[in-house]
Structures are given as structure tokens and as C-alpha cells.
Amino acid sequence: MSLTLHEARARAAVLSGISYDLALDVTSPEDFRSRTVIRFTTTGGGTFLELHRAEKLDVTLDGSTVTPVYDGSRIPLDDLAPGRHEVVVDARLRYVTDGEGLHTFTDPADGERYVGGYLGLDITQRLFACFDQLDLKAPITLTVEADPAWTVLSNGLATGPGTFAPTPPIACDLFVVAAGPFHSVRWEYAGMPMGWHARRSLAAELDRDAAELRRITEICYDHFGRIFTEPFPFGSYDQVFVPELNWGAQENPGCVTFNEFLLPRGRVTDDDRRRRAMVIAHEMSHMWFGDLVSPVWWEDAWLNESFADYMGFEVAETAAGYTGTRVSFEAVHKPGAYDADRRRSTHAVAPASEHVPDVATATTIFDQISYGKGNAALRQLVTWLGEEDFLAGVNAYLTAHRFGNATLEDLLSALDAASPRDVRGWAEVWLRRPGHDTIRVTRRDGVPVLTRDGVRPHRFTVTAYTPNLEPAGSRLVDLGDEPLALPDWSGLIVVPNAHGETFARLDLDPWSLDALTGGLTGVPDPLVRAVLWPALLDRDPLRLLAGQLPHEPSPTLITAALGRTRDHLIRRRLPAADVPGALAVIAAACVSAAGQDEQRAVALAGGLAWSTTDTDLLRRWLAADATDQGLTLDPHRRWALLHRLAELGGIEAPQIEAEQQRDGTADGVLGALTVLAARPTASAKAQAWAAMTEDPGISGRRFRALAAGFWSPSQRELVAPYIPAYVAAAPTLAGRGSAFAAEVGRAFPALTLTDEEHALVRDALHSGVPTVLKRHWNDELDDRTGH
Ligand SMILES: [Zn+2]
């Protein structure tokens, strides 16, 4: 049962002074022991602890054994006298393989076992008995009994093997424990113990990147130390690549977990490095935004994620020296936020608490509105207020609510006091209302005129170009209710929001549009091209790709343009009959663009790997373990080529088995599942479908790997019978938990559906579907049909 806002408010009103002493025993591979001593003060009456599916449960209250009516999710504590109490909950729980609890993973590379609680909404209660809500912060003191050869990592400062000092008060959803034979790189910086950790079989990759990871960590630490007046809030800072994390990373106080895709095997491209630096900065900024000060309830998740997203890109670009990070935000993340803001599920960046009535609904709020759009709104706020006033307000807010909880109103009060501008009016239109404005360019006798459709004030850069796209000027403008004429730029092409300072769609005049579609790569500034690529791709994608992709110098923009074309055009919108022609255009553009630059060649080979129909080319590259440009194939690029070869019917099961042996890692297991599922035969599809739907314990990762191979726009006839089967099976599959429900939602058929197939999904939605799956399906329908 998911906690409701009403229940959370009632519990917070009566409880205070909470602390947890938690003892975990993970020595058995079968199940684990979780013993928690919970101390708290109450004003009296009944309340409850959450604990999910405990076995052998023993509970004592103030020293006496009690036998509560335990329903598998809550331990009621009835008729408590006002004052201080101590509850001891001792239980055994099962490990999980889907991340929703204490996760267990055995490394196929070396047989080593790792266990970890990588928690989050409604998951902490699957590890220990707690008051599982954001505004009941508490110090947590942890001891862990584990194999003495293992390393145990957690939020608190380590005081010995498996023992930790009490944390400062933290929200219990951000508790973390990670245990196993980790390979570690440890050091001390500014008196603070720091470390990077990865599983033992990734030791070479961690050592390869350790100097860079350490350098980024120190730069971010120094940078945040400069801009924030509150000191770093925790006693140590560990960063751990953990197996099978359900998210990109998680901001646990003092001990951040990272998805292992951020520590790639083989080549680390510049884009990989930028993204990783951005994530490191993002997570460290959470030590202040989210950890030191946390929301009261989930409607203010944006106070965590929008700030961290903004800080992540800014700090990686400006402080850590990863130039081009903002280009990837404009080209990849912001288009996703515009898409999200056009769906029925869009919401205000800062919704009202009533719109998030329970934790199950809150799981759907970690979307591109809370990240990308919120980031863009904050960037506009900084542009509009100036950085000095912005930081003054932010610092006052952090200090006023340190180790506590706060709301939008608290932030606005602090910003209002720091700035002469109308921050509340700004927030009303930018944070409280869903949707976005459009900035339009029209011509009056050749003079460009900017107008705004919408309600928000905007401050942004406009750049002007000659008809052959040479830069002719650039200026910062304010645009509101009144049209803005630019008479000195008569006869020039103009691009509003050229540096992406605001969040608004662009509607350029037909003349500028045509010139840019025909010559986009002539625009010298990659940030301006990053703004333009997605805007132009939405209009005439194949003409743009055929003409401009071969000349695009930025690997980031090549990858972004190809990814958007695949995910939106090929897999969602293009009728099946038109798919082969479109793939041919894309493959030809990738081939003709080949050149000497390695990073570009990697990006183009990535596009060719899903668009080519040339099985000889794929076989030649695989046999040489290199492309025709001489680029060696990294393991995951090798799997991408095998995926396409299988889709085209060019590889059989024994060869796939041999590739898995050759790879020898957990990634190889998943890669083989995808490739097996991609083969264009009825029996391959039947086997994959059975594996996805008949094993009730299948991990989210295996399910995702199978789905990635299963659906193919090139195999429409073969997979068509499984579209109704998916619609019928998904609601039951999604009943396992919100993380798995999200996997089921992401496994939506990755090909354009017919009107009848859309109707099937709509009918199923009317007859009731779990919250998380419903959100995915409605979003899919909106993206495909423009609702
Ligand atoms: Zn975050």
C-alpha cells in the first residue's frame, strides 16, 4: 500500500525526534536479517511503521514483546502514550533482483556476489522498518555483518569494517548500503575521506579513469564550496558504480551510487566523459539540494531534480572544463522536455501537493518536466535575476532549512528577499503552470519581428546570419507581451534563443527555415546548431539528415540527431511501408559522412549499426573487430552490430552463444538475450516472448534486454500478433512493483502502430492499469498520435 499525502501529514504531526539503529546480516545468500531499533517521541495515539514482506517478525515496544496485526506492509503501533518510545523490529527478508529491496547480484565474470540497498520511494521499507516519508528525517546508525573480505559502504563515516557513525538527520529514502568485494580508489581531500568504487571485475576500467574521476570530484567539491555558504553537509564522500542500478545515479548523502554504464568497457568517448562529469556534478549538488534540505512531500521533487540538473550541466561545462555539455543538453535533453510538456501527463514544474496524492503517483513525477524543463526554467531565472541574486536567495534558503525540509514557498521567500524583481510573478507563470510559449519570427518588409505566443517573460540571445549563414550579430533581448522588431537586421536570418537561455518552441519564418534546413552545418557555433537541429528535425527530418549529417562536425549533434530520428520517426511515427526507404537515406548519410575524426566516426558507426541492410558490411566489421575506418569495436558497439545482423537474419543461435562466451560479462549475457530475440523467425519470437512473460521472477534488466531485441520496425508482420498479447499481459506483469512496471511500460512495441492497435491500448487503459504503466502508455499514445 502506497503512503498517501494525508497519512504522511497525520504522521508528521504527531512524531518527532526519530532515530534508527540498524543492524543488517547479509552473510547468508538465501535471505538477510534486518534488526532496527527505532526511537521516537509522539504526542500520543496510534501510528505505524512500514516494513514490506517480512518473515520471522519479532517486535518489542518499550521492552515488551508485542504481536501487532502485520499485513505484510505496515506494523501498527496503537494507543501510544505521549512521550518517548523505543520499538525493536527484528525480521528476515528476501533479497531481490529488481532493485526494489536489498538487491543481490552475482558477477558472471568471476562468480563474486554483491548486495546493495539502492533505495528510493517506497523501497526503504523493503530493507528495514521505518517511517518511510521525506519529512521524518532521522540519524541512522548502521552495522553490517558480512563476509570479512568484503567492503561495506554506506552514508555514514565508516568507523570500522561494517560499522558506521550516525548520519546527520537524513530522509530514509536516501539510505544506502553496498557490500561486496569492491575495487576501491580512496584518498583524502580537504580533510574529507573520499573514494571511488566498482566491482572487482571492473577494476581495470576504474583504474583507467580514476585520475579523471578524482579530478572532477575535487573540482566540484571546491566549486560548490565557493558558491554555497553551507559547508559540505556529510562526513565522507564515496562514489560507487553498483551493478544493476535502476537509475543513472542516486544522491545518497555521503555515498552516491552510479549506474555502471558510466564506466564503459573499451573506448570512453568525449560524450561519455561529458555525461559522466555532468552526473558527478548533479549528484554532488544534491548533497545540498535534496539531502541537506529536502522537500516536505513529493510535489516539490523539482526542488531536488531541477536544481541538480541545472547545476550538473552548468558545473560540468564551466567549472570542470567539459565544454559542449550544454550542447548535449540543448540537443538531447531539452527536446525530450518539450515532448513531455506537450503530453496530457505534463504538469507544472512545481505542482500543487494535491496533484501528488500518494507515493505511487510521485514515482511518475521523476520525468523530463522535473529534470529538463525545470533545469531550463532555472537557467531562465538565473538569466533574468542575475547569478548573484539567485545564489544569495538559494543560500539563505539552504541555511534556513539545513537538515530539515522546505517547500516552493520557502524558496520563493528567500529569492524574493534577495532580488528587486517580481520573483513570485515569475514563479506563477514559469513554475506553477504547465505548457510553454512559442517564440515566432515574422517579417515586416524584410524586418524580422519577434512575438511571443504565451504568458511568460523571456530573456535570451538572438543571433543574426547573412543569407549564406555567416554570423552578422548577436544580442540579449527581453520579450514579453509586445512584439520586438529588429530593423537593423533587415534581410538577415535570425535565430531567437540561440544559446538556449529560455524554454520556448521556435517558429521561424519560412525564409530562415529554408536557408537553415539547406545549410545548417554552415552555422559555426555548435550551441546554436544544437538549438536548431531538433527544431528542424521535427519538420523535414530526411531532407535535413541527407543534406546536413555528412557535414556536421559535432559528434554530439550527430548522435543526437540520429537518436531522435530512430526513437521518434522510425519507431513511433513512420508507416511501416516507408521504413525501408528512410533507413536507406540514413545509412547513406552515415556512410558518406565518414572521415578521419575518431569521435565522429564512432557517432556515425552508431547510426549505421541500426540503419544498414548490408549484412556483408556488418560481417566484415565483426570479423575484423573493427570498422572500415579502423575503429576497434567496443563491447557494446559489437553487440549493437550483432543486434542488427540478427534483425536481418544474418546470425544463428550457436554464433550468438559464442559471442556471449567471448564477452564473458553481465553485459554479454544481456547482449545475447537481445540478439537472440531479434532474429526474424516465429520460433525466436515465441521463445523471447515466453522468457519475458512466463518467468515471474525475471529481472528488470533481462526483461528490458529481451524487449529491445523483440520489437523491430523491420519485422512488423512477424511481431504484429504480439501487440495485442503485450496489451493483454502488461497490466499483470506491471503488478510486481513500480520499477518493473516502468520496464513493462518501456517495453511498449517499438514500431508504428495502426489505428486499431492504438484503440486496443486505449480500451485497456479504460479497464484499469497500474499507475506507472498507465503513465507510460498514455505518453506513448500522445507521442505517436499527437493526441
Ligand atoms: Zn538527481
Side-chain angles (χ1 to χ4, degrees), residues 221-242:
Y221 184 86
D222 288 344
H223 181 80
F224 291 130
R226 262 195 307 277
I227 66 170
F228 298 140
T229 49
E230 282 295 314
F232 186 86
F234 305 102
S236 53
Y237 200 60
D238 285 294
Q239 297 173 91
V240 200
F241 295 101
V242 295

Side-chain angles (χ1 to χ4, degrees), residues 500-523:
E501 295 96 337
T502 196
F503 189 81
R505 281 193 174 265
L506 287 186
D507 185 8
L508 302 179
D509 61 291
W511 179 68
S512 296
L513 258 181
D514 192 60
L516 288 164
T517 303
L520 176 58
T521 47
V523 173

Side-chain angles (χ1 to χ4, degrees), residues 249 251 282-283 286 304-305 308-309 371:
E251 68 271 27
H282 174 121
E283 302 306 331
H286 270 312
N304 298 0
E305 296 309 340
D309 212 58
Y371 288 77

Side-chain angles (χ1 to χ4, degrees), residues 115-265:
V115 298
Y118 323 126
L119 306 178
L121 294 80
D122 270 354
I123 306 181
T124 308
Q125 58 191 267
R126 292 162 184 252
L127 189 57
F128 67 94
C130 57
F131 300 112
D132 199 352
Q133 66 185 73
L134 286 174
D135 56 344
L136 291 175
K137 286 187 163 184
I140 302 175
T141 310
L142 174 70
T143 58
V144 180
E145 189 124 351
D147 184 330
W150 284 9
T151 299
V152 183
L153 301 161
S154 186
N155 309 86
L157 181 66
T159 52
T163 62
F164 298 87
T167 66
I170 61 172
C172 64
D173 68 303
L174 291 177
F175 172 79
V176 67
V177 59
F182 285 106
H183 175 68
S184 297
V185 175
R186 297 178 189 271
W187 77 105
E188 210 174 277
Y189 186 70
M192 172 87 58
M194 293 187 173
W196 276 100
H197 315 266
R199 54 189 159 99
R200 185 175 285 170
S201 64
L202 290 170
E205 284 77 8
L206 184 59
D207 288 343
R208 175 197 66 198
D209 294 349
E212 181 179 353
L213 294 169
R214 179 175 164 167
R215 188 182 65 80
I216 300 166
T217 303
E218 292 174 358
I219 287 174
C220 291
Y221 184 86
D222 288 344
H223 181 80
F224 291 130
R226 262 195 307 277
I227 66 170
F228 298 140
T229 49
E230 282 295 314
F232 186 86
F234 305 102
S236 53
Y237 200 60
D238 285 294
Q239 297 173 91
V240 200
F241 295 101
V242 295
E244 303 192 326
L245 189 65
N246 283 335
W247 303 279
Q250 196 177 26
E251 68 271 27
N252 321 291
C255 185
V256 174
T257 46
F258 291 81
N259 194 302
E260 290 176 343
F261 70 68
L262 294 163
L263 188 64
R265 293 185 292 152

Side-chain angles (χ1 to χ4, degrees), residues 463-474 489 492-493 522-525 528:
T463 53
Y465 300 90
T466 64
N468 45 4
L469 294 169
E470 276 152 20
S474 179
W489 284 347
L492 297 178
I493 295 163
V523 173
D525 184 344
V528 183

